[in-house]
């Protein structure tokens, strides 16, 4: 069965600084990988996903993520963080067929002036 | 399209009461699922369905029932509420073509069990 680890529970960055959120997965075959964002009191919104092709994936709101098979990682990056990026971020992995998505426990991002 | 809708938004129950959380989607998605979100635990799957008449258990199914009589609706029933079921519940849907399909989430239902 697949699993996801997000090592950082909480990260604080300054506005304008770069951001990298870590995600490690465990799955024997090629995984289907997702990053979702949850603003306070809201549902989850898809930022980006990877399932084949180019290992650098572009998403919405200026985010990107890179799939590294050798490291079993799918880290989320943004070159310059805005105050509105403060939210909780979830990495998720899917397997083939109709196996449900498995989510990490999330990383809460705080942005300071 | 309204997407995925959930009702109610908030609910307070007493221990032992029953209730149904409603979930509906208008995207003709075959695949629907229910998650609960608790602090520090991320999202945990309760039940899911790959089509009308087909349901399966997720990671934390105890205390919850589901049924899927139509493609659009996937209600979650709490038979006898317990304080441990205090949580935020999210419904989600996607096409069942494959796991590469985007999963869309509803706005959530906040449940407090006293």
């Amino acid at each position: 069965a697949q699993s996801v680890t997000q090592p950082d529970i909480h990260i604080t960055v300054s506005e304008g600084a770069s951001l990298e959120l870590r995600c490690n997965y465990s799955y024997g075959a090629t995984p289907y990988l997702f990053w979702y964002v949850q603003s306070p009191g809201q549902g989850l919104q898809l930022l980006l996903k990877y399932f084949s092709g180019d290992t650098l994936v572009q998403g919405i709101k200026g985010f990107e993520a890179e799939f590294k098979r050798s490291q079993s990682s799918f880290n989320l990056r943004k070159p310059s963080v805005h105050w509105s990026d403060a939210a909780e971020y979830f990495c998720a992995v899917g397997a083939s067929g109709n196996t449900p998505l498995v989510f990490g426990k999330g990383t809460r991002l705080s942005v300071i002036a | 399209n309204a997407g995925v809708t959930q009702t109610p938004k908030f609910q307070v129950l007493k221990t032992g009461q029953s209730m149904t959380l409603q979930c509906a989607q208008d995207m003709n998605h075959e695949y629907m699922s229910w998650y609960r979100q608790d602090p520090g635990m991320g999202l945990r799957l309760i039940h899911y369905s790959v089509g009308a008449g087909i349901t399966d258990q997720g990671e934390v199914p105890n205390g919850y029932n589901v049924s899927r009589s139509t493609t659009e609706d996937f209600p979650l029933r709490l038979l006898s509420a317990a304080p441990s079921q205090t949580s935020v519940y999210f419904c989600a849907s996607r096409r069942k073509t494959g796991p590469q399909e985007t999963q869309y989430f509803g706005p959530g239902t906040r449940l407090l069990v006293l």
Side-chain angles (χ1 to χ4, degrees):
Chain A
Q2 66 269 40
S3 66
V4 178
T5 301
Q6 293 182 248
D8 304 304
I9 296 174
H10 183 207
I11 286 180
T12 300
V13 299
S14 298
E15 191 170 16
S18 63
L19 170 70
E20 183 169 29
L21 301 182
R22 296 183 291 166
C23 171
N24 294 99
Y25 68 90
S26 174
Y27 181 59
T30 299
Y32 300 81
L33 295 162
F34 304 79
W35 274 101
Y36 282 84
V37 60
Q38 183 183 32
S39 298
Q42 303 296 313
L44 279 73
Q45 180 185 21
L46 180 72
L47 282 175
L48 47 78
K49 61 182 178 181
Y50 169 82
F51 56 93
S52 67
D54 193 345
T55 56
L56 184 62
V57 181
Q58 301 298 321
I60 62 172
K61 304 185 181 186
F63 286 92
E64 66 178 26
E66 186 171 13
F67 170 58
K68 293 185 177 180
R69 186 187 301 274
S70 62
Q71 299 177 18
S72 298
S73 68
F74 189 56
N75 294 349
L76 182 71
R77 301 193 295 247
K78 187 170 185 178
S80 178
V81 170
H82 188 262
W83 64 266
S84 60
D85 293 324
E88 187 142 23
Y89 292 80
F90 293 93
C91 182
V93 60
S96 59
N98 285 314
T99 307
L101 280 184
V102 173
F103 284 82
K105 295 186 177 181
T107 298
R108 183 162 64 92
L109 174 66
S110 297
V111 181
I112 58 176
Chain B
N1 286 351
V4 180
T5 58
Q6 293 183 237
T7 57
K9 291 184 178 180
F10 303 97
Q11 184 71 48
V12 180
L13 291 179
K14 295 181 180 178
T15 296
Q17 288 185 314
S18 63
M19 80 160 293
T20 299
L21 280 63
Q22 301 292 344
C23 174
Q25 52 88 14
D26 60 0
M27 297 174 282
N28 202 31
H29 287 170
E30 304 94 340
Y31 195 110
M32 296 185 74
S33 50
W34 277 102
Y35 293 86
R36 59 177 289 172
Q37 183 180 27
D38 303 290
M41 300 296 291
L43 279 82
R44 293 182 292 170
L45 183 69
I46 305 171
H47 287 284
Y48 66 102
S49 168
V50 299
I54 306 169
T55 64
D56 206 346
Q57 296 182 349
E59 179 186 357
V60 289
N62 292 342
Y64 306 96
N65 275 0
V66 292
S67 60
R68 185 94 180 270
S69 56
T70 67
T71 298
E72 294 79 18
D73 301 296
F74 191 41
L76 179 71
R77 297 183 185 84
L78 282 69
L79 303 177
S80 177
S84 61
Q85 294 178 305
T86 293
S87 187
V88 182
Y89 292 85
F90 289 100
C91 180
S93 76
R94 66 165 171 85
R95 295 170 60 191
K96 76 168 184 180
T97 311
Q100 72 277 10
E101 297 290 343
T102 298
Q103 189 156 258
Y104 296 89
F105 285 81
T109 293
R110 293 182 177 273
L111 177 66
L112 173 63
V113 183
L114 302 175

